[in-house]
Amino acid sequence: MKIAVLYGTETGNAEMLAEDLAGELEGDHDVSCANLSGFDPAGFDAGTFYILVSSTYGDGDLPASAQPFAKAVEAKAPDLSGIHFAVFGLGDSEYHETFNGGGEKLAALMAARGAVQVGERVTHDASGPDMAEDLAFPWARQVIEMAAGLVGEDA
Amino acid sequence: MSRRVAILGAGPSGCFVAQALLKARPDLRVDILDRLPVPYGLVRYGVAADHQGTKAITRQFARLFERQGARFFGNVTVGRDVTLEALREAYDAVVVATGLSTDRRLGIPGDDLPGVHGAGRITRALYEHPDAEPLPPLGPRPLIVGNGNVAIDLLRLLAKTSEELDGSDLGPGPTAWLAGSGIDEITILGRSPAAAARFDAVMLKELGRLSGVSIAVDDLGTAGTEEGARTLEALSALHGHGAGPRRIRFVFARRPIAVEGDGCVSGLLCIAPDGREERFPATSILTAIGFDGETATAESGAAVRMAPGLYGAGWFARGPRGTIPDNRADAQALAAVILADLDATPASSSIPGDVLACLPGTVTYDGWTRIDAAETAAPPAGRCRAKITGRAAMLSLAAAPDEKETQP
Ligand SMILES: Cc1cc2nc3c(=O)[nH]c(=O)nc-3n(C[C@H](O)[C@H](O)[C@H](O)COP(=O)(O)OP(=O)(O)OC[C@H]3O[C@@H](n4cnc5c(N)ncnc54)[C@H](O)[C@@H]3O)c2cc1C
Ligand SMILES: Cc1cc2nc3c(=O)[nH]c(=O)nc-3n(C[C@H](O)[C@H](O)[C@H](O)COP(=O)(O)O)c2cc1C
C-alpha cells in the first residue's frame, strides 16, 4: 500500500516516532515521511493512506509545525472525500483536560473536509510508562489492515 | 576523512544542533562535551521534577549516542581540561552551547539581604545539581517575584502535598525540605498586569488540581489581546480554588522598589497601580525574573557565527529566554549554516589526533548509561529516579568495570 506518514511536532518526539514508523513499515509498503509544515493540503491523493502523527501544545492545540497546515485546510477548504487517514497522538496526561488535544483537532480538521478516519485514535502519554513505538507499531499494522480494502477503492 | 564538529554543552541546544547535523550528514564526527559527568543540562537540572513528560525528550538525545554515532565526553571543562584553541584546531567547527546560569538580581535596595534567593539557585538545589548550594529555610511566608513559568514551577512545588509529588524524581533531601517547610502562605507577585503575565495557560490549569491549597487572585484587570484573555480566563478560574491550608495569593501590577528587613528579609515594598507604596510581608523572597546574560545579542532564529568555524547556540547565544522547542528551531537554522560553511571550506589535512580521547577522567556515553541505570534501578516509593548527587559518586559509577579493577 502507498502510505504517507505526516507529522506535527515541536520538540521532535513526533518526528522521531514518524520516522521510526516509516522505517518499520518500509519493508512491506511504499512509505514516505514528511513534516506537515511542508505539506500542501491540495496534495492529498486518494490512492495513499495517510498516517498522521501529532503532538499537543499550548492549551490542547496543534504543535507549531502543524499550524500552517491547519490554517491552509481551513482557508482552502479542500474536498477530502475519498481520502483515508488515521491519527496517532502524542500528549502528556499531566495536562489533564487537554490531553491529546492536538491529535483530536487534526482528526476533526480532516473529517470536516470529508476525509474518512480509519481505526481508533491512539495517544502516547509522555508521562506514562510506554514507549511511543510500542504503542504505535501494532496500532499502525492494525489500521493498515483496516485500510487495505478502502484506500483508493473508488478513486 | 569525515569532518569533525565539537559541541560544548550537552543541554538541549547542543543536542539539537548535533541532531540536525547528523540528520543531514550521518558521516560527520560529532563530539559533545559537558563540564558535568552527566548530559542534558537543564532538562535534568531545570525542568521541574514533577514534569517527567517534558524530560522524555532525552530519549531523542540518547539516540544521538546510541545510533547516530555522536560521542559524549562528560566531566570536561573547557578552559581547564582542554583549551578552546586546541578544540578549534582539532575540529572543523566548534559550537558553544554552554547555557547561562546566573540568576538576575532584582536591582533594588536590599536585594542582597539574607533570605533573597534566585530561582536558579533554588531549582538547582531542588534538582540536586552537583554544584548547588544547600536549600535555605524559607519561613512560613515566601514571596515569589516573577510572572513566568519558572515562577509557577516553584510555586507548584512549594504548594504540593507529599502525595502530589509521586512519580517525580525529587530526591530525599529536597522532599524532606519541602515536607518540613512549614509554609502558610505563598505570594506570587509580578510587575506586569495579569493579562500580560507570561504564564502558560496549561501551567495555571495545573495549579487548579492542587489539593492542599486555597488560591486568591487579586487585580485581574482586563485584557487587550487574545493571549491576554486566555491568561485572564485561566487566572479567574483559579480564583477561589480549594479550601486547603496553604494559601496562595497572586498579585499583579506591583513594581518592587525595596526589599525590607533588618538583617533578614521581612517584606517587599512595591508601588501599586495607583502610585501608592504597598508593603508585602515575607519571610523569604524568591526571584524568578530571568537569568543574567541578556547582553547576548542574537535574535531568536538567527544563527550565530562568532568567528570562522566557531558558533554559538541556545541560551549561550540567545540569552536565557525561550523554551526547549525554541532551541530546536534555532539549532536547525544554525546547523544549516555550519553545513554550508563546512562545504565552503576545504578539509584540513593537518588536523591533530583525538584531543579528547586522551583526557583522563572523562565520562563516556556508556559511563552515563551506568549512572542512569543506577539511578533508575531501584528508586524509592513514589519516585521514578534517585539522582546520584555528587561528582565523585557519579565518576565512580561511570568508570567501566575493568577500569575500576585496575585502580588501587
Ligand atoms: C528552572 C527552569 C525550568 C525550565 N523549564 C522548562 C520547561 O518545562 N519546558 C521548556 O521547554 N523549557 C524549560 N526551561 C528552559 C530550557 O531549560 C532552556 O530553554 C534550555 O535548557 C536551554 O538549553 P541550552 O542547551 O542552551 O542550555 P543548558 O540546558 O543550560 O545546557 C548547557 C550545558 O552546558 C554545560 N556547560 C556549561 N559550561 C560549560 C563549559 N565551560 N564546558 C562544558 N560544558 C559546559 C552545562 O553543564 C549544561 O549541561 C526551563 C529553564 C529553567 C531555568
Ligand atoms: C508547553 C507545553 C504544553 C503542552 N500542552 C499539552 C496539552 O495541552 N495536552 C497534551 O496532551 N500534551 C501537552 N504537552 C505535551 C506534548 O504534547 C508531549 O510532550 C509530546 O511528546 C511532544 O511531542 P513533540 O516533541 O513532537 O512536540 C505539552 C508540552 C509542553 C512542553
Side-chain angles (χ1 to χ4, degrees), chain B residues 46-300:
Chain B
V47 170
D50 59 345
H51 278 176
Q52 292 296 319
T54 304
K55 292 179 195 265
I57 190 151
T58 57
R59 286 205 57 225
Q60 282 182 58
F61 301 156
R63 252 190 208 200
L64 289 168
F65 307 107
E66 288 171 5
R67 295 201 204 161
Q68 293 168 285
R71 299 190 300 176
F72 178 61
F73 293 88
N75 195 33
V76 177
T77 300
V78 177
R80 185 193 68 190
D81 304 313
V82 59
T83 63
L84 184 60
E85 293 69 42
L87 288 172
R88 291 187 69 193
E89 267 170 42
Y91 290 85
D92 297 286
V94 174
V95 181
V96 184
T98 49
L100 279 164
S101 55
T102 327
D103 285 298
R104 197 188 307 155
R105 303 253 304 256
L106 279 166
I108 56 175
D111 71 354
D112 55 352
L113 273 174
V116 181
H117 310 288
R121 179 214 155 149
I122 301 290
T123 50
R124 270 193 298 283
L126 267 177
Y127 308 144
E128 300 174 294
H129 189 291
D131 303 335
E133 295 169 59
L135 283 161
L138 300 182
R141 304 188 74 165
L143 183 150
I144 300 171
V145 184
N147 267 176
N149 290 335
V150 173
I152 295 283
D153 276 350
L154 267 179
L155 175 68
R156 189 183 65 252
L157 285 160
L158 292 179
K160 275 193 164 181
T161 63
S162 297
E163 300 75 53
E164 285 169 337
L165 291 163
D166 277 1
S168 72
D169 63 2
L170 202 71
T175 299
W177 179 78
L178 286 176
S181 72
I183 292 174
D184 294 328
E185 181 174 60
I186 310 168
T187 304
I188 176 164
L189 178 147
R191 266 170 177 266
S192 56
R198 287 166 292 119
F199 307 133
D200 272 336
V202 277
M203 300 273 285
L204 293 173
K205 283 198 176 154
E206 208 180 338
L207 296 177
R209 303 210 308 278
L210 297 180
S211 64
V213 299
S214 49
I215 303 181
V217 184
D218 297 359
D219 317 302
L220 269 171
T222 52
T225 63
E226 208 178 304
E227 172 114 22
R230 265 209 209 190
T231 307
L232 285 192
E233 197 187 317
L235 279 167
S236 57
L238 274 183
H239 182 63
H241 164 80
R246 210 161 261 181
R247 296 185 303 280
I248 295 178
R249 182 178 170 205
F250 281 84
V251 183
F252 295 98
R254 296 298 190 285
R255 183 164 58 86
I257 53 167
V259 177
E260 300 190 316
D262 186 9
C264 184
V265 169
S266 65
L268 185 68
L269 189 64
C270 296
I271 301 288
D274 61 8
R276 276 189 300 197
E277 287 188 357
E278 194 177 353
R279 201 164 258 107
F280 294 88
T283 50
S284 56
I285 292 179
L286 309 179
T287 59
I289 52 170
F291 299 85
D292 263 334
E294 296 284 329
T295 46
T297 49
E299 295 286 310
S300 178

Side-chain angles (χ1 to χ4, degrees), chain A residues 8-15 54-61 63 90-93 95 98-101 124 126, chain B residues 53-54 57 60 200 202 325:
Chain A
T9 188
E10 268 189 40
T11 64
N13 293 339
E15 179 169 341
S54 177
S55 62
T56 303
Y57 275 86
D59 198 7
D61 300 326
L90 286 89
D92 188 338
S93 55
Y95 302 101
T98 56
F99 181 49
N100 191 28
H124 172 255
Chain B
T54 304
I57 190 151
Q60 282 182 58
D200 272 336
V202 277

